[in-house]
Amino acid sequence: MKRFIYLFTCCSLLFGGCSNFLDQTPQAVVSGDDLNTPENVDKMVTAAYSALGNDHYTAPYSNMWPYGNLRSGDAYKGGDGAGDISEFHFYETFALNRIDNGLTDLLWFRLYVCIGRTNDALARLNALSEDAFPEKVVRQAEVRFLRAHYYFLLKVLFKYMPYIDETVPKENYATISNKALGNDELWTKIADDFRFAADNLPATQPQIGRVNKFAAKAYLAKTLLYQAYKQDENNAVTGIDAATLQQVNTLCDEVISSGKYQLNGDFANNFKSATENSMESVFAIQYSREDGTPKGRLDYGHALNYPMNTDYGCCGFHSPSYNLINAFKTDASGLPMFNTFNDKNITGGSDFQTNTFDPRLDHTVAIPGHPYKYDPGFIYQRAWARAPDVYGSYLSLKEAVLPNDAAFQKIPPFMSSSKNWDIIRYDDVLLFKAEALVELGRQDEALALVNSIRTRAGNSTALLKQSDGSFTSNYKVDVYKPGINCTWTQDFARQAVRWERRLEFAMEGYRFFDLVRWGIAAEYLNAYFAVEKTRSPHLSDAAFKKGRDEYLPVPLNQMNYSKGLYKQNTGW
């Protein structure tokens, strides 16, 4: 107390009163008003973009592999057993997940930090005149696109969340319920932002990484595709809105006819740093290194997902499931084995020569004895898997780069890279359209779209070779030929489109949300668990509860913050 009185007295004598002294603006601090210049507001837009990759391996959202892959039957958690980031194990098993899962709370928090950046930038943009800042409307459109992206992630993760835009004063945040808007109303809010972006963005941007008109139309198509599947309060799909599907079809046509995008000749070029920002990339997170910052702008969301060998070192997470490996098998005609793919398990070695496979297998999965990331002199070994007796010996491959890649950088004890990560590619747009057409009963129009994806897959073998020039696996892929190798009914076409989505985007983070959108998550996953438990004992407790596990619970910390305002998700 004496020390406080002494300081107070000195302050009064020297400065004529502490109040005047404390009212001085600190040196080297920028006030909020200082940011309201066109130059600084433009930097706030850049900050909203930078949030795209501001995640961390404990709560990644640039790639949502813990929530979209571990919960889909495509991947096991990996790492050093169930206790290694046990929160992810809880996601994978469903039955063990709880409302006080701390990483769920961290994910919610970080996505709202991202939204906060967009709202701050928008509020400042709105206050500027176009005379003072001619790029105002374009920047507004960019930021609304980004805000819609962050809300889209929250929507597929939690279903219900408080919707806060730039017009809401911060002191009112605590008054907005996560149930203030209904399920369909939330989708409409997200779609409105993408629609504004599509109406106001240019077709081409002067800088790589800035979103354009067609990226907005593609993401709007994705949003409307989700909205078209109507859900009740128990998360059951009750119908599909044909008018909304027609909007999806029209938007995809506009992206396709723009001429800005095309499929890469080789599927591999979507996952190499040397070919990023290709003609297939519609919207991607831009990463960098050696950019004047200590560690660069690196992909921390995938930092756990590298092998345990001397060239890397850690940490063996994100391991493809046996079920997923089996799904790449093809039959004697080169078509997927819809009903029998999982009858016989692929265990390794000669199995990859005695069976036939879709080439996308070796673009997606690191397999013992196979070249790692297209280098025939760098062979993936079972010993590189961290806990092969628990999770098997496979690892995810798309996010990785070679240790001699220009994008690679160690962030001890983890690995990372500056390779971009696509959120939407042109193959996605083609399959959005195909899905909409099938559900509209126009499956004949979807055939060419699906076959274009399969044709590219079959042509993507140039980099899948051993050092002696032989193919790594026994590849055989054909297209669908109605009346010859298939009967292209609506039911068959629906199965074909859904299968194509699984193989094309395997391990990329969205599979679980497809299952929920289609209304088949419970049946699909409980059938998966029934078989996979016999292969992977770490799933012994796994069970999906219909009407609950389609969405994560609202985190307990957020429920407590709201003082009873937030309503918990169904079943939790």
Side-chain angles (χ1 to χ4, degrees), residues 24 41 43 194 259 276 342 360 390 425 446 463 467 482 490:
Q24 302 301 308
V41 170
K43 292 177 181 177
F194 283 129
E276 61 189 19
N342 207 33
R360 286 173 289 190
V390 179
R425 297 195 305 268
L463 296 178
S467 57
Q490 185 184 38

Side-chain angles (χ1 to χ4, degrees), residues 195-217:
R195 191 171 281 111
F196 180 89
D199 290 342
N200 291 283
L201 286 169
T204 301
Q205 288 273 31
Q207 293 174 299
I208 292 174
R210 287 195 186 275
V211 293
N212 64 33
K213 177 182 296 292
F214 299 106
K217 289 186 176 185

Side-chain angles (χ1 to χ4, degrees), residues 302 305-306 318 396-401 417 419 421 507:
H302 289 120
N305 302 355
Y306 279 84
H318 201 204
S396 184
L397 198 56
K398 288 178 176 177
E399 63 263 48
V401 298
S417 83
K419 180 168 67 73
W421 188 254
M507 307 300 284

